[in-house]
Amino acid sequence: GKAVTLKSAYAYRMPDPFEKSKQITRVVFADKVIDAAALKEASDRDEAIDTQLRGATRVDLNLEADGSVQNVNLHADGYSGSQSGSGWYTLTLKHNDDKRIEGSFHTNDEADQKIGHYYDLAFALDLPAAPAAGTALPPNGGDAGTAYIACLACLKMGDIALRPTLLSKN
């Protein structure tokens, strides 16, 4: 019943939770400041933003590649919920590509507006590049690859006595 000011926003691409071979864009609005610099370096931005915004009120817009809304997630005061479908909102995108997303999102249902449950969000955000993959392993996997291959060989032989020795070297 009270208005919440969502004073910070961040957008990023992530694997679609329903179809891992696809990407979605998640636009996160929060009543807590989002540390974009810390998220830029995170290998799992989704996990990092969950950690950063623990206890915050937040709204996540999950957008398909074509700009349609997959779902809207709300996290507030120990409550979390998700809504999908169409007709109850309007999403207008002015810009949507690999570098930037800009637009607005608002509730259409007048009954929701009257009881104070509605969204009126505007955003213009640059999308960060994919997180760094880290240092590549040398040919044949280096020491890590050698240990993995030796462990597989022991497991294939059924030699359980060698497993503690292999695991202690890592």
Side-chain angles (χ1 to χ4, degrees), residues 2 7 40 63 70-71 79 104 115 121-122 128 132 145 147 152 168:
K2 67 177 183 167
K7 58 187 167 191
K40 183 178 180 183
L63 307 177
Q70 182 184 75
N71 63 352
Y79 167 84
S104 63
I115 64 169
L121 306 169
L152 281 179
S168 68

Side-chain angles (χ1 to χ4, degrees), residues 1 44 64 75 113 152 162:
D44 183 343
E64 303 277 358
H75 307 269
Q113 290 179 18
L152 281 179
L162 291 176

Side-chain angles (χ1 to χ4, degrees), residues 26-168:
R26 176 167 283 170
V27 184
V28 179
F29 301 89
D31 67 345
K32 180 178 172 183
V33 174
I34 298 170
D35 182 353
L39 295 172
K40 183 178 180 183
E41 300 303 321
S43 60
D44 183 343
R45 288 190 178 119
D46 202 40
E47 181 180 309
I49 204 158
D50 283 347
T51 299
Q52 206 180 101
L53 295 179
R54 189 165 285 125
T57 296
R58 71 187 251 201
V59 176
D60 301 346
L61 296 181
N62 293 325
L63 307 177
E64 303 277 358
D66 66 3
S68 61
V69 176
Q70 182 184 75
N71 63 352
V72 180
N73 299 322
L74 172 64
H75 307 269
D77 295 327
Y79 167 84
S80 67
S82 182
Q83 186 171 13
S84 58
S86 61
W88 58 272
Y89 60 82
T90 297
L91 172 70
T92 305
L93 292 177
K94 296 178 184 176
H95 197 99
N96 182 26
D97 63 24
D98 288 339
K99 297 189 184 275
R100 187 167 176 77
I101 187 155
E102 180 177 353
S104 63
F105 181 83
H106 69 270
T107 303
N108 293 336
D109 190 335
E110 289 182 27
D112 281 348
Q113 290 179 18
K114 286 178 184 175
I115 64 169
H117 181 256
Y118 66 96
Y119 301 106
D120 186 9
L121 306 169
F123 50 94
L125 302 162
D126 292 331
L127 292 167
T135 306
L137 291 173
N140 297 326
D143 290 342
T146 301
Y148 178 72
I149 290 169
C151 184
L152 281 179
C154 289
L155 292 172
K156 285 180 182 176
M157 292 185 321
D159 192 343
I160 303 217
L162 291 176
R163 281 185 19 195
T165 304
L166 288 171
L167 296 175
S168 68

